[in-house]
Amino acid sequence: EIVLTQSPGTLSLSPGERATLSCRASQSVSGSSLAWYQQKRGQAPRLLIYDASTRATGIPDRFSGSGSGTDFTLSISRLEPEDFAVYYCQHYVTSPLTFGGGTKVEIK
Amino acid sequence: QVQLQESGPGLVKPSETLSLTCTVSAGSINNYYWTWIRQPPGKGLEWIGYIYYSGSTNYNPSLKSRVTISVDTSKNQFYLDLDSVTAADTAVYYCARDSERGSYYDSWGQGTLVTVSP
């Protein structure tokens, strides 16, 4: 099973600042088969990024994904008020599919 | 835009079976993989398993002995049964559609909270 470790657990930032979220895998994620989701309180997750760096339909370009192998990053260039939420990474290399534990981006 | 809606009892007794339905609308269930994911209150996401419209399945090994996912293409629905539940199965249960390109999820239901309690 591929274990995904997200850091930091909580990121305290102000609107307009840059956010950098990390997702580290316990073994190589082949084919960059990694996705990122945003989840707001009481809502289902929303797909942001797939294949490590491809934005999903309708996702603003302030969101970007990068990385390969075991280290992946989600960046938000300038935080908007609606970006404060919890973010999860997920691999889809092989079964079982797993998610990281999440990073909460909160208003400082 | 396809829409998914979970339905089922919000309260299940310990040792009983949790049964949920996901109804797919504004799109066909055919030619896609369909997934169940759960999230205990205040915690992260756990993949339960998926079913292809033809009926083939894949389950999380941690739940495999208790899980059955099935599909009824004539009703555009798929289902989750989880046997012998305990309080640890209390969670929001989501159904989701796998994208055409891989097992990441581009469409989700709103989720339904299932509480396991006497």
Side-chain angles (χ1 to χ4, degrees), chain A residues 43-59:
Chain A
Q43 296 184 16
R46 177 176 70 143
L47 178 67
L48 299 175
I49 301 285
Y50 61 91
D51 293 348
S53 61
T54 303
R55 274 189 300 277
T57 303
I59 301 303

Side-chain angles (χ1 to χ4, degrees), chain A residues 1 35 37 39 42-47 50-51 88 90-92 95-101, chain B residues 37 39 43-47 50 58-61 94 101-106 108-111:
Chain A
E1 173 175 323
Y37 301 86
Q39 187 178 34
Q43 296 184 16
R46 177 176 70 143
L47 178 67
Y50 61 91
D51 293 348
Y88 293 97
Q90 176 232 331
H91 84 81
Y92 42 98
S95 179
L97 309 180
T98 58
F99 294 85
Chain B
I37 292 163
Q39 184 172 36
K43 296 187 178 181
L45 299 160
E46 180 180 31
W47 175 74
Y50 66 63
N58 188 8
Y59 301 138
N60 192 324
Y94 295 101
R101 293 170 46 87
S103 289
Y104 52 88
Y105 312 108
D106 55 9
W108 295 67
Q110 66 185 27

Side-chain angles (χ1 to χ4, degrees), chain B residues 1-61:
Chain B
Q1 176 80 0
V2 68
Q3 296 184 10
L4 295 86
Q5 178 68 59
E6 304 89 351
S7 59
L11 182 64
V12 180
K13 290 182 168 53
S15 80
E16 296 188 343
T17 297
L18 180 161
S19 295
L20 296 175
T21 297
C22 183
T23 300
V24 179
S25 58
S28 174
I29 205 166
N30 292 331
N31 301 313
Y32 284 95
Y33 288 86
W34 302 91
T35 290
W36 288 98
I37 292 163
R38 70 180 183 179
Q39 184 172 36
K43 296 187 178 181
L45 299 160
E46 180 180 31
W47 175 74
I48 298 171
Y50 66 63
I51 189 164
Y52 192 46
Y53 80 100
S54 62
S56 60
T57 56
N58 188 8
Y59 301 138
N60 192 324

Side-chain angles (χ1 to χ4, degrees), chain A residues 22 24 31 53 57 60-61 64 67-68 72 76-77 79-80 89 96 103 106-107:
Chain A
S22 173
R24 179 162 291 177
S53 61
T57 303
D61 61 7
S64 63
S68 63
F72 298 87
I76 311 171
S77 59
L79 283 164
E80 298 287 342
C89 58
T103 291
E106 66 176 22
I107 299 176

Side-chain angles (χ1 to χ4, degrees), chain A residues 10 17 19 29-30 33 36 39 49 71 84 89 107:
Chain A
T10 302
E17 290 193 297
V29 176
S30 61
S33 298
W36 289 92
Q39 187 178 34
I49 301 285
D71 290 298
F84 291 91
C89 58
I107 299 176

Side-chain angles (χ1 to χ4, degrees), chain B residues 70-115:
Chain B
S70 56
V71 64
D72 186 335
T73 55
S74 67
K75 295 183 178 179
N76 242 30
Q77 292 178 330
F78 63 106
Y79 312 96
L80 171 68
D81 286 324
L82 182 64
D83 299 330
S84 306
V85 297
T86 69
D89 295 311
T90 294
V92 175
Y93 285 77
Y94 295 101
C95 58
R97 187 186 74 174
D98 292 36
S99 87
E100 294 179 5
R101 293 170 46 87
S103 289
Y104 52 88
Y105 312 108
D106 55 9
S107 297
W108 295 67
Q110 66 185 27
T112 186
L113 174 63
V114 179
T115 301

